[in-house]
Amino acid sequence: TFVVRQMKLKTDVILKPMIIGGVIGGILSSIPVINCLNCCCLLYMASGAIAIYLIQREVKSIDLEDGALVGAGSGAIAGLVDGVLGTIIDLTVGKAINASMMAMMGMPPSMQQQMMAEHFMNSSLAILSILIAIVLGAIFGTIGAIIYIKINEK
């Protein structure tokens, strides 16, 4: 059977750090070049660790279960922010970046136009990519929070 457990920390203690960690991780994940760190979901893990760090500044200790839930929430927020901002950046700046890269590679203009059209047809999958980012963020935010708690155990 599934048992629901009451968190030991109050919502007002965990909510603000969870949001801050998620927003920081999400913004960093959506910035071109910096987002390369997210190839192994490092920035999603960082969002969970940041949230735990901020909570531990107020509450000296946090148990693993509460930390995992905080990390999942922070990572999910990071995934949401990353998904939405990443889509906006891709739809606005992405076209110019892709066009300049294709021109630097010496690609013929007709081929550039075809690839750009395919790129924007795939943009209709933005909702799916946002949902995937939220799920991955929750998973890796949990991992980041657990790692941070284990490293800082005394």
Side-chain angles (χ1 to χ4, degrees):
T1 63
F2 185 71
V3 178
V4 177
R5 184 180 82 74
Q6 182 71 29
M7 286 186 72
K8 293 178 184 168
L9 297 174
K10 295 187 188 287
T11 306
D12 58 336
V13 173
I14 65 168
L15 195 58
K16 186 176 176 183
M18 187 187 302
I19 292 170
I20 291 171
V23 169
I24 289 171
I27 289 173
L28 291 175
S29 296
S30 63
I31 297 173
V33 179
I34 294 176
N35 65 359
C36 293
L37 292 173
N38 231 9
C39 67
C40 52
C41 297
L42 183 65
L43 295 172
Y44 291 155
M45 287 192 270
S47 71
I50 290 168
I52 298 300
Y53 167 77
L54 293 173
I55 289 172
Q56 285 183 338
R57 287 178 44 196
E58 290 185 35
V59 179
K60 294 304 174 201
S61 111
I62 181 170
D63 67 3
L64 211 52
E65 293 87 7
D66 287 350
L69 289 173
V70 169
S74 183
I77 292 169
L80 175 67
V81 171
D82 175 28
V84 171
L85 283 180
T87 300
I88 292 169
I89 289 170
D90 189 39
L91 292 174
T92 56
V93 183
K95 185 175 183 177
I97 291 172
N98 288 340
S100 63
M101 299 229 354
M102 286 186 261
M104 284 182 3
M105 293 175 6
M107 191 176 288
S110 61
M111 192 174 208
Q112 287 180 25
Q113 289 174 346
Q114 181 182 359
M115 288 187 74
M116 294 303 285
E118 289 174 9
H119 173 76
F120 284 100
M121 281 191 285
N122 290 334
S123 297
S124 62
L125 298 174
I127 304 263
L128 180 62
S129 68
I130 291 170
L131 293 174
I132 290 170
I134 292 170
V135 171
L136 288 175
I139 292 168
F140 286 97
T142 301
I143 293 169
I146 290 171
I147 290 171
Y148 187 84
I149 291 170
K150 286 298 194 181
I151 287 173
N152 290 310
E153 274 184 351
K154 294 176 181 152

